[in-house]
Amino acid sequence: MKIIAVIPARYEASRFPAKLMQILGEKTVITTTYQNVVETGLFDEVFVATDSELIFNEIQNHGGKAVMTGQHETGSDRIAEAVQNIDCDIVINVQGDEPFLKLEPLKQLIEVFKEDENQEISLASLKIKLHEKEEIENPNNVKVITDNNGFALYFSRSVIPFHREISYDVDYFKHIGVYAFRKHALLQFSKLEMKPLEISEKIECIRYLEYGMKIKLIETNFVGVGIDTPEDLEKARKLI
């Protein structure tokens, strides 16, 4: 299989505009993320997919590969446009605002497809257990529930499952937005109409479920530093 990584990079983020061009150490956030992904050695090629000339030039000026795209509602739609003419089998979506992603979770996602002999899985992603009540109830944390084989049943910003039976312990998992797609499933996704559940929750993975595709979730202990706010950027700078 030819495996590539694509980093969707939108300049006008709603909560923190221009966050990917902020300085982290001696480089921008997006350049740090790009170079860290390349250094894993897991991918045949790594690209940044962006609608911003600033980001496009930033990556190219640092010797990287970038693809200009149109404007899109979701990162998956942006990646689908970027890869349609790239020869590959598996596409790993790494978030541009997750500069400290580690090697092991990426290897786990790739392994899902190597073991999927019947090619039933359209998408693989990561989940991590939540423990604090505040984190579980935070709508910025997308929660996911899976069946006994680790396939996604639903994603929500609400608390799922609802803890009606207080005497019974239940685990809560946060969805981490790192995806691995089969290329043909990704291209199919981009042609599918958004349905009410995806529009309501603003969670793109729901589109796959609404159209009957299989999503495999891998549990991880990796805690990244997602840069969604200026405060997150300050936390990330302390890790450099």
Side-chain angles (χ1 to χ4, degrees):
M1 293 188 298
K2 182 176 180 180
I3 302 170
I4 68 170
V6 180
I7 305 167
R10 188 164 65 95
Y11 185 80
E12 294 293 343
S14 56
R15 281 183 287 177
F16 187 6
K19 66 182 180 180
L20 298 182
M21 291 297 290
Q22 300 299 310
I23 298 300
L24 186 60
E26 297 180 351
K27 296 174 286 190
T28 60
V29 172
I30 187 61
T31 296
T32 301
T33 302
Y34 179 87
Q35 291 179 350
N36 285 348
V37 174
V38 170
E39 288 171 6
T40 66
L42 293 174
F43 305 104
D44 294 294
E45 292 183 283
V46 180
F47 298 89
V48 167
T50 185
D51 58 5
S52 164
E53 289 187 9
L54 281 174
I55 292 175
F56 181 88
N57 292 334
E58 166 73 5
I59 295 301
Q60 289 214 320
N61 289 341
H62 285 84
K65 297 179 180 180
V67 179
M68 283 294 294
T69 70
Q71 296 188 359
H72 294 283
E73 287 288 327
T74 71
S76 295
D77 288 312
R78 185 180 308 284
I79 292 173
E81 180 187 346
V83 305
Q84 58 185 337
N85 295 318
I86 296 174
D87 178 30
C88 62
D89 300 293
I90 305 298
V91 182
I92 309 293
N93 168 4
V94 179
Q95 299 295 334
D97 58 6
E98 286 271 1
F100 304 118
L101 188 65
K102 300 297 183 183
L103 179 71
E104 192 56 35
L106 296 176
K107 289 176 66 176
Q108 289 177 296
L109 291 176
I110 291 169
E111 197 62 31
V112 165
F113 293 99
K114 290 182 177 179
E115 296 175 354
D116 183 28
E117 295 179 358
N118 295 325
Q119 299 191 11
E120 296 176 333
I121 299 171
S122 297
L123 169 63
S125 194
L126 301 173
K127 65 178 182 177
I128 188 168
K129 192 174 292 186
L130 292 172
H131 300 282
E132 301 299 326
K133 184 173 184 288
E134 180 181 347
E135 290 294 297
I136 294 169
E137 295 180 348
N138 185 345
N140 291 322
N141 290 332
V142 173
K143 274 69 69 177
V144 60
I145 51 175
T146 60
D147 66 15
N148 289 335
N149 295 313
F151 289 103
L153 295 171
Y154 194 61
F155 299 84
S156 182
R157 298 184 186 278
S158 298
V159 178
I160 54 171
F162 177 75
H163 202 172
R164 182 175 181 181
E165 181 51 70
I166 303 300
S167 63
Y168 187 80
D169 284 335
V170 65
D171 291 327
Y172 293 90
F173 289 93
K174 174 184 176 180
H175 175 228
I176 298 175
V178 180
Y179 308 102
F181 309 91
R182 289 197 187 279
K183 180 184 175 181
H184 66 77
L186 176 60
L187 296 180
Q188 180 183 357
F189 168 91
S190 68
K191 297 173 184 175
L192 297 173
E193 178 186 355
M194 284 189 185
K195 295 290 186 180
L197 290 177
E198 179 189 2
I199 295 170
S200 175
E201 296 263 17
K202 293 199 182 311
I203 301 171
E204 62 194 81
C205 276
I206 293 175
R207 195 186 314 178
Y208 286 91
L209 298 183
E210 288 187 278
Y211 284 95
M213 299 186 200
K214 286 190 173 183
I215 304 176
K216 180 81 169 183
L217 272 295
I218 303 296
E219 185 174 354
T220 181
N221 294 319
F222 168 70
V223 180
V225 181
I227 300 174
D228 290 318
T229 65
E231 292 75 22
D232 293 335
L233 179 62
E234 291 306 313
K235 292 178 185 177
R237 283 172 173 163
K238 293 176 182 178
L239 298 175
I240 295 294

